Amino acid sequence: MTSRISHHELLFRPDYRFLTVRDEECDAAEGSQEALARSYESGAAATEYEVYVTAAQDLLKVRACLEVWEGPPGPTTGFDDISAFTLTCPSGTLQMSDGSGTSIGGIDLPTGPGQYATQVQIRGRAEALAALRRLNEPMTASPASAWTTLFAPYDGIEEYLIRVWFTEPLPDDDDEAH
């Protein structure tokens, strides 16, 4: 049985309706626009260097948890699998960000640079949308300052669990040239 090495949590309002997990030193990778578009359809998509996870809504805060494992993790309770990807991490350090400045960086992968399996799981997506429907009427009758109080009980009801683990080292630069 494998063990969890680290756990990192981000509670954020998804202004752009997405979250990314990527190698800290790799910026926009080729295919990022296409991956982001696919994530709106399926909940998650990836390029070689970045995973995109799309929230169902943009008014209630979303909880995202990133776990680093020493090997394939066991099953979780209460979450549904939505996607699995291979993530290339040349620096050995990850960053989780909401695209508008809320982020956690410096997530060191103890195995260092390499290829990492990435599993994205979800819970509470339908519940968050149902909460928004219930809140719609009071929101229109309340001043904007009251919205924060109305939304607070639902913060984190939509939750994503992203789990990563080392699968193989990066190819040598010499191997790529042949």
Side-chain angles (χ1 to χ4, degrees), residues 145-162:
S145 60
W147 291 9
T148 301
T149 304
L150 287 171
F151 290 172
Y154 303 102
D155 286 351
I157 195 170
E158 183 177 353
E159 185 173 8
Y160 296 87
L161 176 62
I162 301 117

Side-chain angles (χ1 to χ4, degrees), residues 2-21:
T2 62
S3 297
R4 185 175 71 183
I5 297 168
S6 64
H7 175 91
H8 311 272
E9 197 167 305
L10 187 63
L11 183 65
F12 66 101
R13 181 160 290 111
D15 292 330
Y16 297 113
R17 280 197 50 218
F18 71 87
L19 165 82
T20 67
V21 175

Side-chain angles (χ1 to χ4, degrees), residues 52-100:
Y52 296 85
V53 180
T54 307
Q57 48 76 43
D58 62 357
L59 295 176
L60 303 175
K61 288 185 180 179
V62 169
R63 182 177 319 283
C65 302
L66 175 65
E67 296 180 343
V68 178
W69 286 75
E70 65 182 10
T76 53
T77 307
F79 280 89
D80 295 322
D81 288 339
I82 57 173
S83 299
F85 308 102
T86 297
L87 183 64
T88 300
C89 192
S91 74
T93 305
L94 292 178
Q95 173 180 314
M96 181 167 57
S97 172
D98 73 349
S100 64

